[in-house]
Amino acid sequence: MDKHPDKVVLSQVGSFYELYFDQAVEYAPPMGLRVALKRAGKGKVHMAGFPLNSLPKYVEILVGEMHKSVVIVDQVERPYTEAANEMKFDRRVSRIISPGTLLDETLRDFQENNHILLINFTKHDFHSSAGAYEVKVGLAWADLGLGTFHSQETSMKKLLADVTRIAPKEIVIDERFERDIATSTRDEIQELQRYYTTYTKLSGGEVVLHYDNFAASRRELANHFQALARTECVAVAYLAAHLANILPHTRLNFELPTHEVSDDTVQIDARTSETLELVSSIRTRSAVGSLFSCIRRTVTQSGTRMLKAWMLAPSTQLDEIRYRQKLVAVFEACEFLRIRITGHLAQTHDLSRIVQSVSLDRSSPIDLVYLAHTLQYAAHIRDLLAACTTVKHGDAIIPLLQKLQVPEELAEDILNTVDEYALVQRINEERGEPDIEAPEEEIEQNEMRQWIIRPEHSHALTQAHARLAALSQTKQDLETELRASFNSVVFKCMPRYGHFVALRGTRGQIAALEDSLAAYDHSVVRAVLGNTVWVRLTPAVEIEENILRHVAEIEELEKEVLRQLRSVIEEKIPELRNLHHVLDYIDVTTSFAVLAHEKHLTRPKMTATRQLDIVGGRHLVVEEGLQTQLKEFTGNDCTLSPKDHLWVISGPNMGGKTTFLRQNAIIVLLAQMGSYVPATRATIGIVDKIFTRVGSGDDLFREMSTFMVEMVETSMILNGATKHSLAIMDEVGRGTSGKEGLAIAFATMVHLQEKNKCRTLFATHFAKELSDLLAQRGLAKGVSFYKTEVTELQPKRGPSHLLSFDHKLRKGVSENSYAINVAASAGFPKFGLKVAEEALHGFKARGVL
Ligand SMILES: Nc1ncnc2c1ncn2[C@@H]1O[C@H](COP(=O)(O)OP(=O)(O)O)[C@@H](O)[C@H]1O
Ligand SMILES: [Mg+2]
């Protein structure tokens, strides 16, 4: 406990985990446990405990809800020696559980990754801003339950975008930086504090790579590391070392670290992910209403993870995007193929999860059966695809097929070894059984248990089963013999009496007991209730003991067979991981085809230019919302090019400005994921970064004012956008007084136009003023003005007349923001509306507006 002061220590004592001392007092109540005061040594100590098999439940409370790290101290049997024949157990830390290192499958959601991310800062210069921006930072991240491992070199500038994309459940940072990070005023560093962070001693001494933790040879690893940047290598080594510390007695078998390159993917920072509502909606703060839940059609958990990874990091590589599109096209065109493949995929199990549970030695026999089935379905998918290479554009399938290598012989091996039917029966039986916690209970002898390895698997097993069957027969014969003299004959075993037979009969039968048993060596153990007698019958005891020996022997043999099977699987880990990537790829691309079919999407033309040409674009999530109210979404066009790369959108509130801005960013994002897009036609020049500045209220986390948040975000865009970027600016300058706000908006626009030269959509209520200012500066060229239109209904009936929006974007500048009308439709009181109208008239008359 002294070694882990900030962690909760759970120590195994027999069949319980115990909390001690202050920790018992502190944590037992929130865990719903009773604290007991027990005598120990010289004094009394507080303790609280729970049975071993309830561990997941309490880990969920401590780690999941209370965000604590938990140290598990297990008992291990010490090899028997004469000298130490009393204390037979050693205690050792078997693992440390934190949000990033949950292994218990019930505790995590396999639809997403459970990443633990190590950030290797090279310089602890967290306070200065400008110069340190380019400082290199090494990243390494892994998912323990899936065996994935990644590394990347990034810079301080891009760090936040990378962290957002990786979405770690836990960040590990060297303890040297703890204070600096806590006191840094830099925005990106403060943002990191949102994550659960472990500060630990990483550096000091040499950096040694734990080769054993990877399922790859030393040579492969060494070669691999040649290609990595120094910061990245160190990050990988630190993370591997950290994980080895946390799971000291486990071989981790991680895949060869995937080397990621920042420029291969679109940078999307936390703000953009939030404002585009990619994974959670702003209104509900949950996945409902997010883009992800709207587009998700994947049928496997691992495919869902890949889809999310693609969404948070769309590709910037034309070849890759085009290849994904080609596959989508094939699946889109061929409904039969699409339906069959998704049907097969839905039957598969999460390969990476199974593989990892095998290597962590946490797999159960049913996992092996699932693995076999998954391989069989993968083979079906391969055959289906192979048969379809001749369909229209089917040649796109060929490269995929080449990667789709299915180790089918492994499936055969497993199913020829494990008796699936018996296994399922056994699992069902175990499910039906209540937890047995009272060891004193009578245990009826039942050798008819379900064996899970086929007896014919090995000679030894066949023989052991034959002997066991013969013994059972002898036992049955004995029972039949005894039944001639007694009504009921039950073989039992109890700790106090050992093996015995409970004989029940009529008064006469019991009286004649000695005669009936004359042929056997026996003794009476206990007489119960006058009509039952428990008898120790030597031949029965011999048979029973013999049976038990055989049962134990078969159990051992089965374990050995399973061990062998697991090691065969372990050898195939790289192949299996490769297969699972291909299956995920197929899942995501077919899901795009399903989505395209359902939502009438079109294939965008992808180019390396700076064009963005969208005809009849739609916002999928808003459209879905409108559909439930039987309303139609109005499609809108957007054409940006190097010559005309800034659009200013004006119009009344509720006219559809924000929706238009977001929909274009989302269309670009979908296109670069490889998906089709909601538009009648689209040409998209690859975008390197998507920036958004959409007002969404105050940032409560850091207690900044709305305007401050706005400026922080705007600065990030002005500092970071390149001419290949896409920027979405919604009402910049809104958070401060009119004139100053206008000045800031104007400055932002000019900067974007002259310095950044990125494609920009700019929504504002200051359109008229901005257009005048631009004209004065001679910058009007290259900026286009568009507005959302509104029609006034019942115009003669006073101030509260209603508005009708058609949400169609037209050329021009909106002169009126219809604020009062919107206020009216929101239920503003009549008196208030009247005052507002009068004030507005007054401004106009005095020329204030
Ligand atoms: N193109 C469209 N077609 C149909 N309805 C739309 C469209 N754009 C927006 N809307 C509807 O109008 C509402 C307000 O849109 P929003 O983009 O927030 O307006 P603004 O930013 O101009 O105030 C949306 O919630 C949606 O219901
Ligand atoms: Mg808006």
Side-chain angles (χ1 to χ4, degrees):
M1 234 192 265
D2 297 338
K3 250 169 82 185
H4 301 283
D6 52 341
K7 303 187 176 82
V8 183
V9 179
L10 299 177
S11 313
Q12 186 193 354
V13 180
S15 54
F16 281 79
Y17 278 117
E18 302 279 1
L19 283 152
Y20 288 106
F21 311 116
D22 293 352
Q23 292 206 330
V25 178
E26 185 175 353
Y27 298 112
M31 290 165 75
L33 296 174
R34 236 188 35 219
V35 188
L37 202 55
K38 289 197 183 155
R39 191 175 296 284
K42 288 180 213 128
K44 286 184 168 179
V45 295
H46 289 286
M47 53 197 285
F50 56 84
L52 293 188
N53 59 5
S54 311
L55 183 66
K57 177 175 145 200
Y58 292 105
V59 166
E60 169 64 29
I61 297 175
L62 287 168
V63 180
E65 292 168 18
M66 299 171 71
H67 299 288
K68 285 278 157 196
S69 286
V70 173
V71 179
I72 304 286
V73 181
D74 279 324
Q75 277 175 346
V76 272
E77 254 174 276
R78 184 183 286 181
Y80 183 82
T81 56
E82 286 291 329
N85 69 355
E86 268 197 70
M87 164 78 179
K88 287 207 238 82
F89 294 106
D90 273 335
R91 281 178 207 290
R92 65 175 195 193
V93 172
S94 57
R95 58 187 169 126
I96 298 172
I97 309 175
S98 53
T101 59
L102 289 174
L103 284 181
D104 302 82
E105 304 225 323
T106 46
L107 297 184
R108 63 169 284 182
D109 173 5
F110 277 92
Q111 306 257 2
E112 39 183 66
N113 279 300
N114 205 78
H115 279 146
I116 179 163
L117 165 71
L118 187 133
I119 306 181
N120 176 33
F121 290 111
T122 42
K123 240 201 237 161
H124 47 260
D125 187 8
F126 293 126
H127 297 277
S128 77
S129 53
Y133 241 42
E134 297 304 327
V135 171
K136 298 286 180 234
V137 179
L139 302 178
W141 63 102
D143 186 318
L144 267 178
L146 300 170
T148 54
F149 210 108
H150 300 257
S151 71
Q152 185 189 330
E153 182 178 67
T154 185
S155 61
M156 283 300 249
K157 189 164 136 191
K158 295 179 184 161
L159 180 63
L160 197 54
D162 288 319
V163 173
T164 307
R165 168 174 55 92
I166 296 163
K169 292 284 186 292
E170 177 176 354
I171 294 181
V172 182
I173 299 177
D174 191 288
E175 60 186 14
R176 281 186 299 157
F177 301 118
E178 181 165 4
R179 251 186 64 83
D180 294 302
I181 288 175
T183 56
S184 172
T185 50
R186 287 182 55 179
D187 194 53
E188 322 83 89
I189 298 296
Q190 288 193 355
E191 197 86 7
L192 284 183
Q193 292 170 16
R194 287 190 192 213
Y195 295 88
Y196 179 95
T197 306
T198 302
Y199 290 98
T200 183
K201 192 170 165 59
L202 295 170
S203 55
E206 226 178 307
V207 183
V208 191
L209 182 64
H210 283 240
Y211 286 99
D212 296 348
N213 283 330
F214 294 91
S217 70
R218 266 165 188 263
R219 266 262 304 283
E220 280 174 296
L221 271 166
N223 281 344
H224 179 78
F225 277 88
Q226 299 279 318
L228 303 188
R230 165 97 190 134
T231 50
E232 201 178 339
C233 275
V234 176
V236 171
Y238 279 165
L239 182 58
H242 179 69
L243 293 174
N245 256 339
I246 277 176
L247 288 156
H249 311 284
T250 317
R251 252 191 77 190
L252 295 169
N253 273 324
F254 282 113
E255 64 179 19
L256 203 61
T258 313
H259 168 55
E260 301 207 351
V261 182
S262 300
D263 295 343
D264 284 356
T265 55
V266 180
Q267 268 187 49
I268 296 172
D269 59 33
R271 308 255 171 215
T272 303
S273 165
E274 257 169 49
T275 52
L276 294 181
E277 303 185 291
L278 298 186
V279 281
S280 76
S281 95
I282 294 173
R283 204 164 38 83
T284 63
R285 291 265 154 225
S286 74
V288 182
S290 69
L291 180 68
F292 187 69
S293 69
C294 176
I295 64 167
R296 201 204 119 180
R297 295 293 180 280
T298 43
V299 294
T300 67
Q301 288 181 325
S302 53
T304 307
R305 290 194 300 270
M306 184 179 266
L307 176 68
K308 195 177 257 179
W310 284 11
M311 188 176 79
L312 295 176
S315 178
T316 54
Q317 307 299 299
L318 259 185
D319 289 346
E320 172 65 23
I321 298 171
R322 285 185 182 146
Y323 184 63
R324 293 180 192 175
Q325 287 188 338
K326 275 188 193 166
L327 285 181
V328 180
V330 177
F331 297 136
E332 222 274 317
C334 193
E335 189 179 14
F336 160 81
L337 185 61
R338 186 168 76 226
I339 291 174
R340 292 293 296 275
I341 287 188
T342 42
H344 288 327
L345 278 172
Q347 303 290 327
T348 63
H349 294 264
D350 196 336
L351 265 185
S352 46
R353 170 182 178 182
I354 296 176
V355 162
Q356 194 59 3
S357 66
V358 169
S359 50
L360 292 172
D361 213 9
R362 301 175 72 89
S363 67
S364 62
I366 195 73
D367 288 330
L368 309 187
V369 173
Y370 289 158
L371 172 62
H373 287 272
T374 303
L375 294 176
Q376 288 177 330
Y377 282 108
H380 291 327
I381 292 172
R382 179 200 56 205
D383 297 344
L384 253 173
L385 287 172
C388 289
T389 50
T390 49
V391 302
K392 201 170 161 211
H393 305 305
D395 49 342
I397 292 175
I398 294 167
L400 192 69
L401 260 180
Q402 282 162 352
K403 286 197 206 150
L404 190 57
Q405 302 290 339
V406 186
E408 273 173 289
E409 63 297 343
L410 185 59
E412 266 173 46
D413 257 11
I414 294 171
L415 296 179
N416 287 337
T417 309
V418 179
D419 182 344
E420 186 186 346
Y421 180 72
L423 178 59
V424 171
Q425 276 204 323
R426 185 204 273 192
I427 291 172
N428 287 342
E429 271 168 26
E430 282 170 0
R431 281 215 188 107
E433 255 175 27
D435 271 355
I436 300 171
E437 274 180 32
E440 273 293 313
E441 228 167 64
E442 300 171 11
I443 300 166
E444 274 184 33
Q445 293 302 298
N446 178 17
E447 69 279 10
M448 297 309 289
R449 53 175 297 168
Q450 297 289 345
W451 295 107
I452 57 171
I453 303 295
R454 296 180 188 280
E456 62 275 20
H457 178 75
S458 76
H459 185 63
L461 260 177
T462 318
Q463 294 223 312
H465 275 288
R467 287 197 300 270
L468 183 62
L471 281 167
S472 293
Q473 190 54 53
T474 327
K475 184 173 157 186
Q476 258 180 34
D477 293 346
L478 179 63
E479 196 183 323
T480 318
E481 271 172 41
L482 292 172
R483 266 189 204 287
S485 322
F486 302 93
N487 287 348
S488 142
V489 178
V490 183
F491 291 78
K492 289 188 173 186
C493 184
M494 275 171 75
R496 250 172 79 198
Y497 305 110
H499 294 286
F500 61 90
V501 188
L503 300 168
R504 199 160 59 166
T506 59
R507 213 172 272 272
Q509 284 175 332
I510 299 296
L513 180 93
E514 289 300 329
D515 287 343
S516 314
L517 297 180
Y520 311 101
D521 177 23
H522 72 275
S523 59
V524 172
V525 176
R526 204 179 140 191
V528 196
L529 291 176
N531 64 348
T532 301
V533 179
W534 293 3
V535 179
R536 198 184 123 89
L537 211 59
T538 307
V541 172
E542 275 166 10
I543 295 171
E544 295 279 31
E545 284 178 349
N546 228 339
I547 284 178
L548 281 186
R549 254 197 310 282
H550 277 79
V551 166
E553 185 191 344
I554 296 178
E555 266 173 3
E556 251 336 288
L557 285 168
E558 288 209 333
K559 271 191 204 152
E560 182 51 33
V561 172
L562 286 173
R563 257 195 297 274
Q564 278 168 8
L565 201 52
R566 287 189 177 118
S567 72
V568 173
I569 296 170
E570 266 188 289
E571 276 166 31
K572 296 238 189 287
I573 285 180
E575 254 177 285
L576 292 171
R577 288 215 170 109
N578 177 46
L579 174 63
H580 115 80
H581 283 301
V582 183
L583 291 179
D584 291 352
Y585 205 95
I586 296 174
D587 190 11
V588 179
T589 43
T590 46
S591 84
F592 285 162
V594 172
L595 185 74
H597 189 75
E598 270 178 34
K599 303 254 175 200
H600 308 290
L601 310 184
T602 46
R603 177 176 178 171
K605 185 162 178 260
M606 306 304 291
T607 71
T609 61
R610 286 160 56 208
Q611 195 73 23
L612 182 67
D613 199 351
I614 295 167
V615 180
R618 298 167 349 243
H619 190 304
L620 277 182
V621 180
V622 174
E623 183 178 45
E624 206 170 74
L626 289 174
Q627 267 162 5
T628 59
Q629 306 165 32
L630 300 177
K631 287 187 195 157
E632 292 246 344
F633 190 92
T634 313
N636 273 311
D637 305 347
C638 174
T639 321
L640 299 172
S641 65
K643 279 205 193 101
D644 179 17
H645 61 83
L646 204 161
W647 274 26
V648 178
I649 322 287
S650 54
N653 286 310
M654 295 300 287
K657 299 184 295 298
T658 305
T659 307
F660 178 72
L661 260 53
R662 285 188 181 151
Q663 92 190 19
N664 288 300
I666 290 173
I667 287 173
V668 168
L669 186 123
L670 285 171
Q672 293 191 220
M673 287 167 74
S675 165
Y676 284 13
V677 297
T680 40
R681 198 151 34 82
T683 303
I684 290 162
I686 298 284
V687 165
D688 64 349
K689 306 176 197 178
I690 298 176
F691 289 104
T692 57
R693 152 86 275 276
V694 176
S696 57
D698 292 22
D699 190 327
L700 297 173
F701 176 67
R702 277 173 300 146
E703 296 167 346
M704 279 202 216
S705 72
T706 312
F707 185 64
M708 186 61 190
V709 175
E710 205 181 305
M711 286 305 100
V712 165
E713 289 180 12
T714 309
S715 317
M716 278 191 190
I717 299 175
L718 298 184
N719 287 323
T722 74
K723 62 180 189 204
H724 289 286
S725 305
L726 174 68
I728 298 295
M729 314 292 284
D730 199 358
E731 303 189 25
V732 171
R734 183 186 58 168
T736 187
S737 72
K739 286 272 163 350
E740 285 172 300
L742 174 60
I744 296 269
F746 180 62
T748 307
M749 208 160 105
V750 173
H751 196 285
L752 286 167
Q753 204 203 359
E754 296 195 341
K755 303 277 183 215
N756 306 87
K757 297 190 168 47
C758 58
R759 284 162 280 180
T760 307
L761 296 175
F762 201 103
T764 181
H765 287 297
F766 302 126
K768 177 80 181 64
E769 295 82 345
L770 287 171
S771 110
D772 293 346
L773 284 169
L774 280 173
Q776 280 167 25
R777 251 182 104 123
L779 288 172
K781 229 173 70 202
V783 180
S784 302
F785 286 85
Y786 285 82
K787 60 179 177 178
T788 56
E789 279 286 19
V790 66
T791 349
E792 292 183 39
L793 300 175
Q794 306 160 309
K796 296 213 176 68
R797 287 184 50 202
S800 60
H801 42 227
L802 296 167
L803 297 175
S804 150
F805 303 97
D806 70 357
H807 304 292
K808 192 78 197 161
L809 211 62
R810 295 182 180 81
K811 253 197 163 353
V813 174
S814 171
E815 308 264 341
N816 190 343
S817 71
Y818 295 93
I820 294 177
N821 306 66
V822 176
S825 62
F828 213 75
K830 285 243 161 65
F831 174 70
L833 289 172
K834 196 155 167 278
V835 175
E837 286 258 310
E838 283 165 12
L840 193 64
H841 275 302
F843 293 149
K844 281 187 178 154
R846 290 198 308 270
V848 178
L849 284 175

